[in-house]
Amino acid sequence: TEEPEHLVSYAESPEFSAIKQQQLDRLARLLQRLSPQERAALVLRDLEGLNGREVAEILNVSEETVRSAIFRAKEKLRQWMN
């Protein structure tokens, strides 16, 4: 399926690019506010695409600790973004 032309042209506009960059910059700043474990768990799973077991092995923690860290991280990000 193709995108409607007005959406495609907006997505390619300088305004859209600027807004997108501002949002990415804000997210990067907010990620830095998380604890190292929360940030690592969230980035490894949600951005790098690893599963919970893989994240747990990398961080040398249990899968439950990974789930808890990701839950806390997302809760904090939701609060900070509002």
Side-chain angles (χ1 to χ4, degrees):
T1 64
E2 291 188 28
E3 294 287 332
E5 189 170 319
H6 69 280
L7 291 179
V8 173
S9 62
Y10 177 72
E12 296 170 353
S13 72
E15 294 85 5
F16 181 81
S17 295
I19 291 168
K20 184 176 176 182
Q21 188 59 52
Q22 288 173 346
Q23 290 174 333
L24 290 172
D25 291 346
R26 182 174 184 217
L27 179 58
R29 286 191 306 275
L30 292 176
L31 285 171
Q32 291 302 313
R33 293 175 60 185
L34 296 172
S35 75
Q37 186 175 60
E38 291 166 344
R39 183 174 49 255
L42 186 68
V43 168
L44 288 170
R45 204 206 54 198
D46 289 357
L47 298 180
E48 297 295 327
L50 301 180
N51 65 41
R53 182 185 50 77
E54 293 167 325
V55 174
E57 288 177 9
I58 290 169
L59 299 180
N60 199 31
V61 297
S62 70
E63 287 184 60
E64 180 57 35
T65 298
V66 169
R67 284 190 293 274
S68 295
I70 291 170
F71 176 81
R72 286 190 312 271
K74 287 183 176 184
E75 284 297 306
K76 287 178 181 180
L77 290 172
R78 272 195 269 292
Q79 290 175 357
W80 296 337
M81 292 185 91
N82 290 328

